[in-house]
Amino acid sequence: MIEAEGNHLRHLANGVVVSDTGAELSERLLQLHRGIAAVVAAHTPDAAAVEVTLANKNPSSTLKLGMARGIALLTPALSGLPVAEYLPMIVKKAVVGTGHADKKQVAMMVARLLPGCAVTAPDAADALAVAICHSHHHATGQRWAAGREDPLGEVSSGRATSSGRAASSGGAA
């Protein structure tokens, strides 16, 4: 969970919603839904963002991850939040500057972009990276929609004016 005001980012919270690995799939999905709903209720974000998962070698794992991702998309939408989706390469490019960064590089940049942030888990760092990516993309989109001539130039000059709170879901469920 981050807060964005202009091009200034502030860490609000991070963590990982986990499910009981011994439970039936339906119960695990319900646990994810309840966990995400609790985060949305506690922090009242303006938007949510979810990382797109790419195909896995194991079809069964891919299917289960897809179901968990569906919960990550549906739960904030049920609360009326707009939910954006970003490819991992777009997230990495927005946070690190290259679409082929590894997890350590992403975590290091998340820590630099969110001073004082103590990331609780690698998946939490991924989720914060998705939130940072969404913040950048959303702010640029707002400036384009407002008819600004060069919204990207405004970001680099520090004149960005977007604000809001973003929740995200990234990494494995």
Side-chain angles (χ1 to χ4, degrees):
M1 183 75 58
I2 66 168
E3 185 173 55
E5 207 160 313
N7 60 353
H8 214 72
L9 302 176
R10 187 169 70 97
H11 173 259
L12 298 175
N14 75 85
V16 179
V17 175
V18 295
S19 63
D20 178 9
T21 57
E24 293 293 323
L25 179 59
S26 59
E27 178 60 29
R28 293 182 73 192
L29 294 173
L30 181 58
Q31 291 169 357
L32 292 176
H33 167 71
R34 287 180 176 153
I36 295 168
V39 169
V40 169
H43 295 282
T44 62
D46 298 329
V50 177
E51 188 173 59
V52 173
T53 52
L54 303 174
N56 202 325
K57 291 181 181 177
N58 181 334
S60 177
S61 296
T62 300
L63 185 59
K64 289 175 185 173
L65 185 57
M67 287 185 235
R69 194 171 165 281
I71 297 297
L73 291 164
L74 177 65
T75 303
L78 286 171
S79 296
L81 296 177
V83 182
E85 299 177 80
Y86 299 97
L87 288 165
M89 185 173 9
I90 300 299
V91 173
K92 292 173 183 178
K93 189 161 185 133
V95 175
V96 179
T98 177
H100 300 289
D102 63 30
K103 281 189 170 287
K104 285 182 180 179
Q105 289 173 305
V106 171
M108 187 267 304
M109 283 305 295
V110 165
R112 286 194 182 270
L113 293 169
L114 301 171
C117 169
V119 178
T120 60
D123 287 337
D126 291 346
L128 288 169
V130 174
I132 292 166
C133 174
H134 177 68
S135 168
H136 294 327
H137 280 81
H138 180 70
T140 301
Q142 282 187 318
R143 286 186 294 282
W144 278 112
R148 305 252 171 81
E149 198 169 311
D150 184 10
L152 297 178
E154 290 180 20
V155 171
S156 63
S157 69
R159 296 190 321 243
T161 59
S162 173
S163 65
R165 297 164 71 117
S168 70
S169 176

